[in-house]
Amino acid sequence: MKIVNDYVRLMLFCAGLLLGIQIPALTDQYTKRVDAKLLESSQLLAGFQLTADRYFKGSIEQLILHYKKSSDPVFNQDSQNIQFIYERVQILKAEFAALQGNSLSKAFHVLVRHDNAIMQETLSSYSYVIILDPGAFLWGFACALFLSSFIESLMKLLGLCIFKTKRAS
């Protein structure tokens, strides 16, 4: 029975290690996706920014307002498109800024405060990798220790409850 317990403990540790190593990998892939979307959105906005620089002292908001006030339905419709691109760039800049901290704050942001659409895209094309850097090893060992300790404590607690129940009978 002791050997089975040792192997279960080892398997839990290995599972936790592999799970923990995926946290930096997920963070990395999510960050790259945010960066790519920010670059693309910024490129889409660049032409409008040039117009805003030339006629509205660099204010995209004033450019959008000018388009909205236009009696030309084409310009009026384009104001919504520019507004969408501008807001998207602002959201992606904030998302990218949130991913510039230390590995703990990045992981927390990716796991808890992520953009849902970007996370869905990241997960749908996620490739399981093992990043070989000290941070990934730390994440792996921390998760391994936590998972194996948690499960073992839970099992001991369950065993104590069962033992007390049988003893009381």
Side-chain angles (χ1 to χ4, degrees), residues 43-136:
Q43 288 173 347
L44 290 173
L45 189 63
F48 297 111
Q49 185 63 58
L50 287 173
T51 303
D53 292 344
R54 187 175 305 131
Y55 298 106
F56 299 100
K57 299 179 185 173
S59 173
I60 290 282
E61 292 92 352
Q62 287 181 358
L63 175 69
I64 293 168
L65 188 61
H66 180 77
Y67 272 52
K68 281 183 182 178
K69 288 181 178 178
S70 176
S71 59
D72 186 338
V74 174
F75 279 105
N76 201 281
Q77 179 66 40
D78 277 350
S79 71
Q80 294 172 5
N81 297 331
I82 300 168
Q83 179 80 37
F84 174 78
I85 295 168
Y86 176 69
E87 289 173 357
R88 186 68 176 152
V89 167
Q90 299 309 309
I91 289 168
L92 290 168
K93 280 182 178 179
E95 190 71 12
F96 189 75
L99 296 167
Q100 299 309 305
N102 61 43
S103 64
L104 188 59
S105 66
K106 280 197 281 193
F108 177 78
H109 182 80
V110 169
L111 296 173
V112 178
R113 302 188 55 125
H114 58 265
D115 178 282
N116 288 332
I118 297 173
M119 180 55 84
Q120 286 300 324
E121 290 176 23
T122 303
L123 291 175
S124 69
S125 64
Y126 183 71
S127 55
Y128 293 92
V129 295
I130 296 177
I131 296 177
L132 299 176
D133 69 15

Side-chain angles (χ1 to χ4, degrees), residues 25-45:
L26 177 64
T27 301
D28 180 60
Q29 290 183 31
Y30 180 85
T31 302
K32 287 176 181 172
R33 188 170 296 275
V34 168
D35 185 40
K37 287 182 171 296
L38 176 58
L39 180 63
E40 182 180 13
S41 297
S42 295
Q43 288 173 347
L44 290 173
L45 189 63

